[in-house]
Amino acid sequence: MRGLPPGSQPLLNWKLFEFDAHRRDFEPKDLLNDTDTPPDVPAIPRYPGLHHEAAPRWAALSVKARSGDADLVVPAAERGR
């Protein structure tokens, strides 16, 4: 919303509501076959300043955390089930 800083309380409340509403949603593309190459880990951006959006930093941190998670690797034979 133009003119409203990203750190304003109404936007934060909306964002937290969205996180809560979709906390159990799952992205199948996050699963890797055991034959796939590991994903590229992006550079982690610096901490954002006051009233700046932190989503790019959190997205990069999430990719980095998922890159080494053995629970997200599925044998290629089981992928289609």
Side-chain angles (χ1 to χ4, degrees):
M1 198 168 214
R2 193 167 296 196
L4 193 61
S8 69
Q9 194 64 42
L11 286 180
L12 289 176
N13 287 342
W14 171 81
K15 189 177 183 181
L16 291 174
F17 177 78
E18 290 296 310
F19 285 152
D20 183 50
H22 301 287
R23 72 184 184 281
R24 291 183 171 258
D25 289 354
F26 155 59
E27 180 61 51
K29 291 185 284 185
D30 285 343
L31 294 177
L32 296 173
N33 285 338
D34 53 359
T35 57
D36 292 344
T37 58
D40 293 331
V41 178
I44 307 298
R46 294 174 46 112
Y47 283 101
L50 184 62
H51 298 299
H52 288 92
E53 183 58 48
R57 178 174 170 77
W58 286 109
L61 288 171
S62 295
V63 169
K64 182 177 180 182
R66 286 191 310 260
S67 68
D69 192 346
D71 289 334
L72 295 177
V73 177
V74 178
E78 295 181 13
R79 178 72 182 226
R81 292 183 189 178

